[in-house]
Amino acid sequence: MVAVNGYAKINLLLDILGQREDGYHEIATVMQSLALADTLTLTKQESGITLTVDLPGLEADERNLAYRAAALLMRECGVRGGVHIRIDKRIPIAAGLAGGSADAAAALRGVNELYALGQSDAELCRLGAQIGSDVPFSLMGGTALATGRGEVLEHLPAAFDLPVVLAKPPVAVSTPWAYRSYDANPPTQHPDRAAFLRALHAGDIAACLRMAANVLEPITEAAHPVVGDYRARLRAAGAVCAMMSGSGPTVFGIFTDADDAARAAEMMRQETDADVHLTHTMGRSAVGRGI
Ligand code: ATP
């Protein structure tokens, strides 16, 4: 039996550079892993892939990204035998936190270990990119600049180790809708990626957090004002940075003080309808081990 964690991510910077021939968008994003994780427990079985998911409503069949990742690696390596995967889901779904990609990454690591396949990180990333653009980052974790459609990674120095409050409002945001709306109404202003990266390399976290920005935030926020409301609440509660992750709708607040973060999480639970998680940023070495 093998147990592997798949970690959530937030986007500290998210810029869209253009549309590609293949229908995807060319993006540049700085992603950061969080300690919030799903746990996958894998056991060998005679044949086939079966799933148990502790969340009603989340598909427990070949549509699940963990299933697809396991199937791809097992096919690629000619594995005889099957696997049962139990997913203990903690990452909110369809939230902008890449929970599905986290599970796909954990399934790749888990099957690789369970069947002693010896596949390298590079090989797992190559397969992961076929499942989803965020899977390579979910495999490697830490702090990274992702370009292309999000699958080309450059590791960055660990941004910081700080508490994070996640607040997911009870609204659904479709990622394709967010990108379509962006295309229909692209902004004139883009985040200053070069300055952000310079500050990160210099260890100037305050400057990084000041420059953190997500071009999809105004799009989602216009349709769902609750996003702006949560950002304002988290900032009023002491967050040094409060912004939306991915295409949303989850809002994250980064705090410099653990007690402030805990108080802010409690305030969000009491005063809003948000699904709230108190977590913290997570470095690459822990994510790479998968536990
Ligand atoms: P991203 O940040 O990459 O856009 P997300 O956080 O918005 O991702 P996910 O939670 O990864 O969204 O899932 C989006 C959809 O993928 C879900 O609505 C669900 O139907 C499907 N899905 C398939 N497998 C999984 C999984 N293991 N966990 C979560 N969702 C899954």
Side-chain angles (χ1 to χ4, degrees), residues 9 11 38 40 51 53 55 57-59 63-68 87 89 91-104 134 173 175 245-250:
K9 63 83 187 158
N11 304 81
D38 296 339
L40 273 64
L51 281 187
V53 182
L55 192 74
L58 178 59
E59 46 273 44
R63 289 168 299 170
N64 195 293
L65 296 184
Y67 183 109
R68 290 178 44 206
I87 305 182
K89 196 83 197 152
I91 306 172
I93 293 186
L97 300 170
S101 303
D103 294 354
D134 287 344
V173 174
T175 302
S245 186
S247 52
T250 301

Side-chain angles (χ1 to χ4, degrees), residues 227-251:
V227 168
D229 174 49
Y230 284 12
R231 290 199 299 121
R233 284 173 185 275
L234 288 168
R235 255 203 305 274
V240 284
C241 169
M243 59 189 272
M244 192 184 79
S245 186
S247 52
T250 301
V251 173

